[in-house]
Amino acid sequence: IIDPHGKAWWIHGQPHRISAPAIKYKNGDESYYENGKLHRIGGPAVRRGDTEEYYEDGRRHRIGGPAVDSPTVKQYYWKGLLHCEDGPAEEYEFGDVRYWKYGKRHRIGGPAVIVHNSREEYWVDGELHCEDGPAIRRANGRAEYWLHNVRIGV
C-alpha cells in the first residue's frame, strides 16, 4: 500500500511484514510489525529520527540496553514494564533519573527519583517510603515523611 506518508504492508487489515519494516515513512522513519503488533528481534522496531524503540509482541522490551534510546532519554523496559536490575530505568538529558523494578518505582539504599536541582523521592515496591528520614527531600529544604504510601505528620 502506498499512501501520502510512505509505504505500508498489511495482511488481514493490520500492519505485518517479516524481517523488514511494515511501514516506511517518506522522512526515513520506519516501524516493524508482525500481526499488527510492534515487534522485532535483534534491533529496534521503531526508528523515528534519532530515536530507537525496541518492542517484542507489542510491548517495549530489551535486554542489555534501553528499549527507548534517544539523545534526551533512555528508558529500560522488560516485557512492557519499566525495569532495570543494575541502575536507573529512566535517565534524562539533564540528569534526572528514576529507578523502577517490574513497573514499580523502587530502590533500596537511595532515592528512586532524582530530579536535578529540585527533589529526591524514596520509593519501595511502588510506595513512597523511608524509615530513617524524609521520603521526599526538596532542594529548598522542605521535606515530607512517608511510610508505606501514607504521609506522616500532616
Side-chain angles (χ1 to χ4, degrees), residues 54-73:
Y54 292 74
Y55 286 81
E56 288 185 22
D57 297 319
R59 299 181 296 189
R60 285 184 172 155
H61 176 81
R62 186 178 182 197
I63 295 174
V68 176
D69 193 354
S70 81
T72 59
V73 65

Side-chain angles (χ1 to χ4, degrees), residues 4-116:
H5 307 291
K7 293 183 179 181
W9 287 259
W10 293 74
I11 190 167
H12 304 298
Q14 53 193 4
H16 176 83
R17 192 172 182 204
I18 304 292
S19 301
I23 301 175
K24 293 177 113 178
Y25 299 91
K26 287 184 178 181
N27 66 0
D29 295 352
E30 57 187 24
S31 299
Y32 289 70
Y33 284 87
E34 288 187 20
N35 301 312
K37 294 180 181 180
L38 285 165
H39 179 84
R40 186 176 181 202
I41 304 295
V46 175
R47 283 196 177 119
R48 192 174 23 245
D50 52 8
T51 298
E52 294 182 338
E53 298 179 30
Y54 292 74
Y55 286 81
E56 288 185 22
D57 297 319
R59 299 181 296 189
R60 285 184 172 155
H61 176 81
R62 186 178 182 197
I63 295 174
V68 176
D69 193 354
S70 81
T72 59
V73 65
K74 298 196 182 323
Q75 294 176 315
Y76 295 76
Y77 281 83
W78 178 81
K79 296 186 178 182
L81 301 173
L82 280 162
H83 175 81
C84 188
E85 288 290 334
D86 57 359
E90 294 181 287
E91 302 172 20
Y92 292 89
E93 175 181 22
F94 298 110
D96 297 1
V97 296
R98 291 172 178 83
Y99 290 77
W100 295 79
K101 298 284 187 203
Y102 303 105
K104 294 180 179 180
R105 287 185 179 167
H106 177 83
R107 186 176 182 201
I108 302 295
V113 175
I114 302 168
V115 179
H116 181 70

Side-chain angles (χ1 to χ4, degrees), residues 105 107 110-114 119-124 127-138 142-152:
R105 287 185 179 167
R107 186 176 182 201
V113 175
I114 302 168
R119 72 181 186 282
E120 294 181 345
E121 299 175 7
Y122 289 73
W123 293 76
V124 177
E127 296 181 338
L128 271 168
H129 180 83
C130 187
E131 295 179 2
D132 59 356
I136 300 176
R137 300 169 186 185
R138 301 188 189 281
R142 294 186 65 195
E144 296 177 22
Y145 293 80
W146 293 74
L147 291 173
H148 301 288
N149 233 22
V150 175
R151 190 167 180 186
I152 308 299

